[in-house]
Amino acid sequence: MGAAVPRLTEDPCSWDDLPSAVLLLARNGRASHANAAFCRLTGLSAEAARGAGWQRLLTDPDRATLLGALVQGEHLSLPLHLCSPGGHDELRREVWVDCVAQWRPSRGRWVCVLHDVSATRQAERVASVQAEQLRLLADSVPALIACYDAREQRCLFANRPYALTFGRDEQSILGLPIAEVIGEAALQRIRPQLDTVLIEQRAVAYERQLVRADGRTQWVEVHLLPQFATDGRLIAFFVLISDISRHRLAEQAVRESEERLGKFMQASAEGIVFHKDGVITDANAPIGMLVGYGLDELLGRRTLDFVAPDQVSKVAAVMSSGQETTYESALIDKSGRRIPVEFIVRTMMRGDERLRMTIVRDIRDRHAAQAHIHHLAHHDALTGLPNRLAFMAEIDQLMARAAESREALALLFIDLDHFKRVNDSLGHLAGDELLKTVAQRIGSVLRASDVVARFGGDEFMVLIGGGPRLEDVADVARKLLAAIEVPLDAEAGRSISVTPSIGIAMFPGDGLTPAELIKHADTAMYRAKARGRATYQFFDPALASNAYAALVLEGELAQALERGEFVLHFQPQVRAGDGVLVGAEALIRWQHPERGLLLPDQFIPLAEQQRLMLPIGTWVLHEAARAARRWHDDGLCAVPVAVNLSAVQFQAPDFVATVAQVLEDAGLPGHLLELELTERMLMDELPEVSGRLAQLKALGIRLSVDDFGTGYSSLGHLKSLPIDKMKIDRSFVVDLPEARGSVAIARAIIQMASSLGITVIAEGVETEAQRAFLAREQCDELQGEAISPSLSLQAFETWAGQMAAG
């Protein structure tokens, strides 16, 4: 109800002692008394306020509300807006009050106390205006602005341009996840920048192309800015997007308008000469400084007197033609030095005179820059050697001349062994110093006529001309090996060294084109690495085959695990009936530093030959378990991860202990790990297999038979094993539902599994027809391209999150 109404005294004038405004009102709202505080507050005199006089301060709605309340109640509290009209010399006075009143029956009057809340109301109005102004500002600035919460990346705020860009409005966009706003493909492209904000908690800026809701494409500059709570927690991030398309277009416009803008933008900084009929009438200080003459020495002289002799006819022709143009020429300064310049010639009126104005631009720096750019374009910035571009031009010319003269050439492809270790252990500065030293040592071994270039990274090319014999080339290779492997003093008194592997290809026998010769030298270099590195090898056509490529790959496989080059991809497994995610199969990939992403069939056979399947298999188990635990903890999904086992891995004496350790290390419940075994693995040494499977089941592990139907296993034996799942081999799925034989086999497997109480899953489901058929036949689960291809860890988590979100 607000403040209490003061007690009424016998003398109404005592109300004048109160600091609060007071009115004594009858039931009809007529005032019998208004105290001094009321008069000060409203600007009315006590006499003017009596009766209904004070009511002219009220708005019509407030008057009606108040009079109605006075008639009906005994107590009231309501806000009022008082507004005095003011006279000619008075300012209009507005007051907002909270009226608290109590009926005094003994006096037959309402005692109304008016509390001035103008400041509060004004503050509210200012805040409202400011909020509206901020919204207007946000909607008016030439930028897209949005704010997303850091936890779920849902939109908290968006200005109108941002919302419209993505086909929304300021209200409908609120609460939407960023993936739904900008699209999943765009989100994946900016994921590294977004992770920088969310994980590293720092601002980031980048450029990208944005496809608007109306289909238009524009270039934008994006700033992602983290927002922190007072306790330092990241609570949100702002997105500021600026359209920079006009800047891209402006670059072209600037080039096209350089001639027009030059007259105005460069005049004050560059030399300007006004002349009439070739006689100088005026000039500025920069031209005098350029040629070394004072203004008094220039006035009245012929312009051609300062032009280089070989340029006089050219300049005179431009002058006589009267054309407005820009061209390069040369001046001779007072000391006789030649100065390359650019003339920008215009015709203009000065008063009644028609003059020629020439802007003289000193282009010595431009020529020097062009020479420097040309050098940079053809030379390696670190070593100063010719680069790949220059080398390719040189080899093309030398091969053409050698073909004409029927002379041999030798191409040596030099690659430093284990150079990455230098960068990883000592840093890139040490690696750079080593590369510069190697470049110098290579040059010290060669003749002046030989060509050496840095081809890229730690690769160097040497081209030996003059018809060298094989023994001469081998001698050069041995000298290069000896020179390069000499230790180099590094920081802190340590010495480092690397050895080279050198591949040699001869022209014309090993190649008739630069590309072919380089390719064969590269092949020979890899053979040198495969033979133990720190050696040289001539190209041998007999070894340039897939077998040789496999040999090289085999040599690198042993170090792939140590270098962390293996990654896991995951392929979703879904329930056939409703598409709900029920599992994921972990699939190993080799991220080869040079050959890209390799699939298992490209290296698993080699791993089995080298007995590397045990460490690789253990790595897969650990990574898969960690992924499953992460999904479980993050609330993404609680489904088992299936891992394929090799026979070597399953038969290892400590395999069960290894699996138990994997579960313990990851803190993973056993039911979230599924092991896939082939039928052949289950048929070997039956008692031992049964015992091992029982131990795995005791850990809670799920067991699956992979590629079922291809191993001729005993159904009676399978019935006795603790199998949870059978997988229909893709060879039976590929022809569904057209091939009668495949249909019969698939139905038989599904029915048998159902009768045994075993879950059945079909792999290799690639078409909607296959998917529909298997669903009709009551196949429990599906896996394949029709559901999803195998995905990287991050892509799988995104996919699973979208599935969970519906």
Side-chain angles (χ1 to χ4, degrees):
M1 287 294 293
V5 177
R7 292 180 58 82
L8 182 66
T9 65
E10 294 296 332
D11 181 7
C13 293
S14 65
W15 294 107
D16 291 340
D17 297 331
L18 296 177
S20 297
V22 177
L23 282 174
L24 302 182
L25 302 179
R27 284 281 189 186
N28 61 6
R30 298 179 64 84
S32 60
H33 180 71
N35 73 344
F38 178 87
C39 295
R40 289 193 300 271
L41 179 66
T42 62
L44 286 181
S45 65
E47 186 64 29
R50 289 193 184 95
W54 78 277
Q55 296 180 18
R56 65 191 180 96
L57 300 176
L58 295 171
T59 63
D60 291 341
D62 280 6
R63 184 183 301 109
T65 300
L66 176 64
L67 293 179
L70 293 176
V71 171
Q72 298 177 2
E74 301 294 330
H75 302 278
L76 65 89
S77 176
L78 72 165
L80 297 176
H81 180 198
L82 306 181
C83 182
S84 62
H88 292 294
D89 299 328
E90 295 178 349
L91 294 176
R92 175 184 174 90
R93 180 179 297 179
E94 290 187 279
V95 181
W96 285 264
V97 297
D98 283 343
C99 176
V100 180
Q102 184 175 353
W103 176 253
R104 297 296 176 91
S106 61
R107 300 296 181 183
R109 289 290 184 269
W110 282 96
V111 179
C112 302
V113 180
L114 307 180
H115 299 287
D116 186 359
V117 294
S118 299
T120 301
R121 293 294 178 87
Q122 186 64 29
E124 291 173 351
R125 290 180 64 186
V126 169
S128 176
V129 170
Q130 288 177 341
E132 185 63 28
Q133 289 174 336
L134 287 175
R135 165 56 76 172
L136 178 62
L137 176 63
D139 289 342
S140 302
V141 295
L144 313 182
I145 304 173
C147 181
Y148 290 86
D149 74 278
R151 181 177 179 83
E152 297 183 353
Q153 290 106 60
R154 293 184 179 272
C155 185
L156 303 176
F157 168 84
N159 69 348
R160 184 178 296 111
Y162 185 95
L164 293 178
T165 295
F166 296 103
R168 311 281 181 175
D169 59 39
E170 301 96 305
Q171 296 302 318
S172 66
I173 198 173
L174 298 181
L176 296 181
I178 190 170
E180 186 173 341
V181 175
I182 70 174
E184 185 60 37
L187 179 59
Q188 292 308 312
R189 286 196 296 272
I190 70 167
R191 175 59 63 184
Q193 291 83 4
L194 190 57
D195 287 345
T196 299
V197 176
L198 298 177
I199 299 175
E200 300 181 22
Q201 299 188 3
R202 59 184 179 86
V204 66
Y206 59 93
E207 292 183 11
R208 78 177 186 93
Q209 281 185 297
L210 177 67
V211 179
R212 298 171 56 94
D214 57 9
R216 291 191 296 118
T217 300
Q218 61 185 143
W219 276 97
V220 296
E221 182 179 55
V222 183
H223 289 264
L224 302 180
L225 307 173
Q227 181 188 5
F228 300 97
T230 55
D231 60 2
R233 289 180 301 105
L234 178 66
I235 58 174
F237 62 91
F238 286 94
V239 181
L240 279 74
I241 303 177
S242 302
D243 186 354
I244 59 172
S245 300
R246 65 180 186 278
H247 299 303
R248 295 294 176 88
L249 296 175
E251 292 173 0
Q252 180 180 355
V254 167
R255 289 192 297 270
E256 295 173 349
S257 64
E258 181 179 359
E259 181 180 337
R260 299 192 302 273
L261 296 177
K263 180 173 67 175
F264 303 100
M265 298 180 65
Q266 305 298 331
S268 62
E270 296 171 342
I272 304 176
V273 175
F274 292 92
H275 61 91
K276 182 178 182 182
D277 299 328
V279 177
I280 298 174
T281 61
D282 198 2
N284 68 349
I287 186 62
M289 296 174 60
L290 180 64
V291 296
Y293 293 96
L295 179 61
D296 57 336
E297 297 178 280
L298 294 174
L299 296 179
R301 295 276 300 273
R302 291 176 52 82
T303 56
L304 295 179
D305 292 345
F306 303 95
V307 177
D310 62 315
Q311 297 289 312
V312 169
S313 60
K314 176 182 177 181
V315 175
V318 174
M319 291 172 58
S320 62
S321 69
Q323 63 179 312
E324 294 191 349
T325 186
T326 299
Y327 62 101
E328 291 190 11
S329 185
L331 299 177
I332 301 297
D333 71 3
K334 194 171 187 178
S335 64
R337 291 181 304 175
R338 183 184 182 92
I339 303 174
V341 294
E342 181 180 64
F343 290 146
I344 305 173
V345 185
R346 298 290 182 269
T347 300
M348 61 184 304
M349 298 299 295
R350 176 181 284 181
D352 296 330
E353 287 188 313
R354 188 172 184 273
L355 300 176
R356 294 278 277 178
M357 180 188 74
T358 301
I359 297 174
V360 183
R361 179 176 295 165
D362 183 355
I363 58 174
R364 285 176 292 186
D365 288 345
R366 181 195 297 179
H367 283 188
Q370 289 172 344
H372 182 60
I373 291 171
H374 183 272
H375 182 272
L376 291 178
H378 293 82
H379 290 78
D380 173 49
L382 179 64
T383 64
L385 293 177
N387 60 14
R388 179 191 292 258
L389 178 66
F391 180 78
M392 294 304 294
E394 186 74 13
I395 191 175
D396 196 45
Q397 295 176 10
L398 289 179
M399 288 180 69
R401 289 200 293 267
E404 291 178 2
S405 61
R406 297 187 178 182
E407 288 186 344
L409 292 174
L411 178 64
L412 284 69
F413 194 125
I414 305 172
D415 183 89
L416 303 183
D417 301 327
H418 304 305
F419 178 74
K420 184 175 183 295
R421 293 182 181 177
V422 176
N423 282 336
D424 292 344
S425 59
L426 299 180
H428 287 277
L429 292 179
D432 289 348
E433 287 300 317
L434 179 59
L435 289 173
K436 289 191 287 187
T437 301
V438 168
Q440 294 168 0
R441 291 175 177 178
I442 292 174
S444 68
V445 171
L446 304 176
R447 302 170 302 179
S449 59
D450 297 331
V451 178
V452 59
R454 184 184 178 195
F455 210 57
D458 59 343
E459 297 174 345
F460 296 86
M461 289 287 190
V462 172
L463 190 62
I464 301 175
R469 299 173 302 172
L470 292 181
E471 54 266 32
D472 297 331
V473 177
D475 185 55
V476 172
R478 286 190 291 269
K479 290 179 180 179
L480 287 170
L481 290 171
I484 294 174
E485 67 184 9
V486 175
L488 168 71
D489 290 336
E491 59 184 11
R494 291 178 293 181
S495 64
I496 57 174
S497 64
V498 292
T499 58
S501 293
I502 304 176
I504 306 170
M506 300 296 295
F507 172 84
D510 296 334
L512 297 176
T513 66
E516 189 177 15
L517 202 63
I518 291 172
K519 175 183 177 183
H520 290 162
D522 185 35
T523 300
M525 182 272 294
Y526 273 105
R527 186 184 177 196
K529 285 186 178 292
R531 294 182 62 188
R533 306 177 189 268
T535 187
Y536 68 91
Q537 181 65 46
F538 283 91
F539 174 70
D540 183 354
L543 294 179
S545 63
N546 292 336
Y548 173 64
L551 180 65
V552 174
L553 193 68
E554 183 176 333
E556 297 168 331
L557 183 61
Q559 297 176 348
L561 189 60
E562 176 185 341
R563 294 173 177 173
E565 295 174 357
F566 291 117
V567 296
L568 284 188
H569 282 201
F570 299 87
Q571 188 169 42
Q573 299 172 333
V574 301
R575 202 157 54 206
D578 54 12
V580 172
L581 180 68
V582 293
E585 182 175 2
L587 302 167
I588 189 170
R589 301 287 187 266
W590 182 4
Q591 188 64 59
H592 193 280
E594 296 171 2
R595 305 189 184 190
L597 197 67
L598 301 183
L599 298 178
D601 59 356
Q602 295 175 275
F603 61 90
I604 290 298
L606 294 176
E608 291 174 342
Q609 293 173 12
Q610 293 184 316
R611 300 194 62 80
L612 290 172
M613 280 311 301
L614 281 178
I616 291 176
T618 301
W619 178 87
V620 171
L621 284 171
H622 278 284
E623 291 300 309
R626 276 195 284 266
R629 182 66 196 187
R630 169 177 166 176
W631 301 336
H632 180 273
D633 291 346
D634 291 347
L636 181 67
C637 58
V639 298
V641 177
V643 176
N644 287 286
L645 296 181
S646 68
V648 173
Q649 191 177 9
F650 181 66
Q651 294 166 3
D654 58 347
F655 175 69
V656 175
T658 298
V659 173
Q661 188 64 47
V662 165
L663 296 176
E664 180 178 351
D665 291 346
L668 185 72
H671 71 275
L672 292 182
L673 180 64
E674 179 176 307
L675 300 180
E676 294 188 2
L677 305 93
T678 65
E679 289 183 77
R680 185 175 299 277
M681 290 163 58
L682 296 176
M683 296 305 297
D684 293 336
E685 300 179 9
L686 302 184
E688 183 176 347
V689 168
S690 297
R692 188 161 297 177
L693 294 181
Q695 292 176 312
L696 292 172
K697 290 299 293 181
L699 296 174
I701 302 293
R702 293 172 54 84
L703 301 174
S704 173
V705 180
D706 193 17
D707 303 333
F708 185 78
T710 63
Y712 307 101
S713 58
S714 166
L715 297 182
H717 178 58
L718 285 179
K719 179 181 178 181
S720 66
L721 297 177
I723 301 300
D724 299 294
K725 183 185 293 187
M726 288 182 178
K727 179 175 283 189
I728 303 175
D729 185 72
R730 66 179 63 246
S731 63
F732 302 131
V733 175
V734 67
D735 295 326
L736 295 177
E738 293 82 9
R740 294 177 59 187
S742 296
V743 167
I745 293 174
R747 282 175 175 164
I749 295 175
I750 293 171
Q751 292 171 4
M752 181 188 67
S754 176
S755 65
L756 294 175
I758 297 175
T759 300
V760 62
I761 180 172
E763 69 174 355
V765 180
E766 298 181 354
T767 68
E768 186 58 35
Q770 294 167 356
R771 180 175 185 163
F773 169 83
L774 291 165
R776 287 196 305 271
E777 295 298 325
Q778 302 299 311
C779 181
D780 298 306
E781 299 171 5
L782 305 176
Q783 174 183 347
E785 295 287 328
I787 290 87
S788 170
S790 62
L791 304 169
S792 66
L793 175 62
Q794 185 178 23
F796 175 84
E797 292 176 349
T798 300
W799 185 93
Q802 292 174 339
M803 293 293 290

